[in-house]
């Protein structure tokens, strides 16, 4: 018999049940319920192994209308995988939104000791029938931060104001908020505030260290187009519909026609009472004064930017509502204010400042950017993002923030081709005789990258880049070219970097991008996260998987890798582990498509091997709805069946379960199942503790540390007690040596047996993480000699979490009457924190004899 030692979910069911390849060294096999669920695929993890993007049938019995409570229950069930201690206190709902597909999306922000963790959030997505299908986001695990500030919020405000004044000007501060701020590998307690100024225009975000008073981070959060030069006016087209208001003396650009129950624009009116669309003339200050005219014929050249700004902003509102069901940029009917002709800081720019959009004046050779429908929509696109994913304006998230605004600008222009000739340039109307300042079809034309990564000569390397006002926050306006090229390919199709893409049209491509922004992206989403979100959004909108496949191809064409369409396997009645002699055994196999995957009908096959022989195969019986019957052959008692299943995805390739077919599922043919030994550690059954540690030896008890140092928050099997290293709140680790836990002797003189246990090993925190090793040994001579059968660490399976393991004793040693197990946890590396646990040990033997399988417990 060949040697096998693998994680098992069901007795004698060997091998990983992932449909996607995830290395054990990633460290998030921390909950057998998540990792070993065949209905679940973990598509992405962070550097420490925490899941970032999980999809599948995560919970199928969610109560509709109770999504918040259900989501907390999910995180409670899988808190070891995410390394959470108490999800109910660590996660706070920031929004619950329903969409036009009747899906519900619950967005949580992370809380640490009652303080918000800035930028850390998790998003949970429910199908219309209440199934939890996707969880994504970024959770900051293992935080250790003193949340008691040493300086007051007033002192922090003064420090920020002084710093801003030293290089920019005076700003009006907002009320500071105390936050935990993860930044460049460190975690800070900070006062978080904004300072606003109108001349020069600023919306400066500051994070002041609440212990030292130092400036940890600052950035101008005005989201704008590049300062692109000069301009001399708008295009001069006639506008035959401008919504204005007569005051009794003048007409003004004040539009309340989109308010509730009004219907001049064909959408029933959605803005609440008091909400308006308004356009101001800014001049030298913001927001300026409302644009006015004596006779409602707006022909003065100085008012042309106001005409276009007003018309395009109103049409943008109508378009958001009609195309995406979005009531203004925030989904709640927010007023929309546009200020034009602003000259206090220069010319030829436009930006969103957090509450309105601003269009600067123009100079020789250029026109007002208010005459560019794509620029007006671009700026309102920043508002959509701020009220959706809130992509932080730096590094890759900032590049995607800019790119999304270009996408929505281009899509708006294409949707209004009667008002302007649509193209793939941005801001072309602002340049007399020019092509604007960016190209989505050919980013290289303006020295922007069209391919992700440093292989493109125009890519701004974000590795090691510290975002600042002076480096465009690590190239957000440049690296946006990658997202722009993706959107162009998805819309129009084409071949790029040798990869062909079939387009789906601008309108449908925009539906995918908007949906991803509103529901799947988060503030820290990089290009890989963004790609996954668009694939999920495409799957929602087109369950056939065609759009998701094209979305994936377009990302691959710009060198952003995607998991592609996949299949996962589940077993409604469970997998057989013990089968009756001389009888066939049938079990059901359910196929599920992920990331656009579509199972090919009648493609299900079963492969099986008897006692290590060559594999035979048989086609599974298709029952409809991607459900199959698989039938194992009748074989004699005492034999062993190894088996795996296979099916094909329509557009790609074959998928197998287990994915590693060299480690198949195992079923034993037996008529008698004997439990030789089992221990849930609720009583003392004679385990021995030894070793050389100065502190932290093995001990039996109920976990009390709460998981704050990588220790188990609870036992594995729910019985209450388990074995732990130094079960002391706040100091549960092993120190200076090795602690050994040895089992009582158990008898396998009558035959081989399956040994199963659940182990916990954490070595990912402290000053020198990932340096130590957890080992498991087996002896057949009462402990006179030992053979290693399992290990974890230094990085493999060393980030905490209960992991269940199984192996046949005979795979390593000849079974005798004097078998023992030994578990070693060591602290040899300097400065690391070592936590270990053991639970649910069992030894089960399979015998032949009676005709019908029986179960016997020895002792």
């Amino acid at each position: 018999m060949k040697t096998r030692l693998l994680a098992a979910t069901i007795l004698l069911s060997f091998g990983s049940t992932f449909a996607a390849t995830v290395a054990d060294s990633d460290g998030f096999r921390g909950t057998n319920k998540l990792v070993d669920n065949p209905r679940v695929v973990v598509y992405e993890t962070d550097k420490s192994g925490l899941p970032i993007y999980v999809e599948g049938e995560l919970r199928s019995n969610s109560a509709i209308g109770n999504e918040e409570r259900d989501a907390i229950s999910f995180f409670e069930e899988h808190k070891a995988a995410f390394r959470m201690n108490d999800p109910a206190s660590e996660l706070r709902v920031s929004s619950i939104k329903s969409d036009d597909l009747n899906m519900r999306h619950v967005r949580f922000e992370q809380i640490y000791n009652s303080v918000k963790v800035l930028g850390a959030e998790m998003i949970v997505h429910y199908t219309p029938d209440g199934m939890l299908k996707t969880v994504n986001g970024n959770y900051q695990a293992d935080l250790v931060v003193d949340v008691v500030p040493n300086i007051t919020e007033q002192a922090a405000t003064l420090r920020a104001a002084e710093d801003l004044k030293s290089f920019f000007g005076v700003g009006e501060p907002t009320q500071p908020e105390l936050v935990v701020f993860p930044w460049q590998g460190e975690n800070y307690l900070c006062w978080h505030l904004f300072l606003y100024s109108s001349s020069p225009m600023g919306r400066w975000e500051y994070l002041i260290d609440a212990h030292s008073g130092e400036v940890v981070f600052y950035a101008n959060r005005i989201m704008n187009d590049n300062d692109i030069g000069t301009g001399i006016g708008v295009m001069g087209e006639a506008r035959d519909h401008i919504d204005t208001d007569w005051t009794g003396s003048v007409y003004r650009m004040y539009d309340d026609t989109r308010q509730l129950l009004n219907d001049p624009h064909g959408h029933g009116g959605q803005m609440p009472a008091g909400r308006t669309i308004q356009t101001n003339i800014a001049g030298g200050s913001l927001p300026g004064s409302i644009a006015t005219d004596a006779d409602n014929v707006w022909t003065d050249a100085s008012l042309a930017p106001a005409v276009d700004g007003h018309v395009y902003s109103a049409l943008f509102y109508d378009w958001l509502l009609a195309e995406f069901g979005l009531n203004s940029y925030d989904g709640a009917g927010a007023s929309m204010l546009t200020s034009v002709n602003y000259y206090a800081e220069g010319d030829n720019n436009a930006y969103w400042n957090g509450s309105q959009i601003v269009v600067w004046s123009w100079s020789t050779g250029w026109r007002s950017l208010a005459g560019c429908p794509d620029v007006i929509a671009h700026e309102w696109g920043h508002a959509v993002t701020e009220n959706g994913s809130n992509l932080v304006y730096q590094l890759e998230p900032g590049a995607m923030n800019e790119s999304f605004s270009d996408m929505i600008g281009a899509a708006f222009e294409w949707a209004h081709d009667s008002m302007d000739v649509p193209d793939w340039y941005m801001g072309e109307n602002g340049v007399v005789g020019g092509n604007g300042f960016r190209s989505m079809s050919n980013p290289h034309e303006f020295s922007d990258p069209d391919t992700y990564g440093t292989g493109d000569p125009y890519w701004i390397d974000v590795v090691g880049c510290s975002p600042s006002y002076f480096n465009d926050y690590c190239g957000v306006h440049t690296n946006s070219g990658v997202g722009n090229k993706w959107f162009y390919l998805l819309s129009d199709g084409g071949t790029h970097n040798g990869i062909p893409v079939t387009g789906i049209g601008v309108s449908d491509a925009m539906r995918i991008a908007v949906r991803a922004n509103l529901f799947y992206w988060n503030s820290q989403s990089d290009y890989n996260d963004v790609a996954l979100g668009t694939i999920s959004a495409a799957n929602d909108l087109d369950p056939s998987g065609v759009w998701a496949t094209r979305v994936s191809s377009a990302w691959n064409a710009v060198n952003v890798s995607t998991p592609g369409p996949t299949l996962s396997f589940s077993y409604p009645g469970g997998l057989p582990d013990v089968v009756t002699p001389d009888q066939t055994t049938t079990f059901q196999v359910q196929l599920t498509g992920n990331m656009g995957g579509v199972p090919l009908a009648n493609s299900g096959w079963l492969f099986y091997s008897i006692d290590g022989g060559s594999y035979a195969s048989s086609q599974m019986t298709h029952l409809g709805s991607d459900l199959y019957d698989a039938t194992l052959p009748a074989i004699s008692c005492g034999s062993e069946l190894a088996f795996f299943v296979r099916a094909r995805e329509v557009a790609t390739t074959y998928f197998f379960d287990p994915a590693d077919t060299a480690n198949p599922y195992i079923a034993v043919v037996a008529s008698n199942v004997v439990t030789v030994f089992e221990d849930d550690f609720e009583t003392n059954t004679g385990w021995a503790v030894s070793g050389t540690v100065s502190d932290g030896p093995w001990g039996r008890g109920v976990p009390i540390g709460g998981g704050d140092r990588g220790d188990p928050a609870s036992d594995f099997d729910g019985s209450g007690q388990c074995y732990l290293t130094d079960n002391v709140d706040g100091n549960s680790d092993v120190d200076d040596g090795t602690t050994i836990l040895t089992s009582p002797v158990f008898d396998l003189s009558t035959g081989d047996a399956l040994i199963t246990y659940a182990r916990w090993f954490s070595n990912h925190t402290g000053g020198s993480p990932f340096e130590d090793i957890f080992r498991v040994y087996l002896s057949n001579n009462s402990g006179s000699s030992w053979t290693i059968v399992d290990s974890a660490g230094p990085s493999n399976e060393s980030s905490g979490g209960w992991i269940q393991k199984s192996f046949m004793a005979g795979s390593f040693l000849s079974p005798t009457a004097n078998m023992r197990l030994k578990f070693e946890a060591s602290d040899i590396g300097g400065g690391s924190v070592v936590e270990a646990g053991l639970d649910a040990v069992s030894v089960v033997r399979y015998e032949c004899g009676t005709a019908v399988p029986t179960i016997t417990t020895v002792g």
Side-chain angles (χ1 to χ4, degrees), residues 751-776:
D752 200 2
L754 178 78
I755 298 174
T756 302
Y757 52 88
R759 61 164 166 79
W760 179 290
F761 181 60
S762 169
N763 181 221
H764 64 284
T765 61
S768 301
F770 302 113
E771 290 191 353
D772 289 297
I773 297 176
F774 181 99
R775 293 184 176 93
V776 182

Side-chain angles (χ1 to χ4, degrees), residues 757-813:
Y757 52 88
R759 61 164 166 79
W760 179 290
F761 181 60
S762 169
N763 181 221
H764 64 284
T765 61
S768 301
F770 302 113
E771 290 191 353
D772 289 297
I773 297 176
F774 181 99
R775 293 184 176 93
V776 182
Y777 299 86
L778 180 68
S779 173
N780 63 357
N781 54 18
S782 296
S784 296
S785 62
W786 296 95
T787 297
I788 190 167
V789 295
D790 180 21
S791 66
S795 58
N796 175 50
E797 297 181 339
S798 57
S799 295
W802 286 109
I803 300 171
Q804 194 172 40
K805 294 283 185 172
S806 294
F807 64 90
M808 296 299 293
S811 297
F812 296 95
L813 294 171

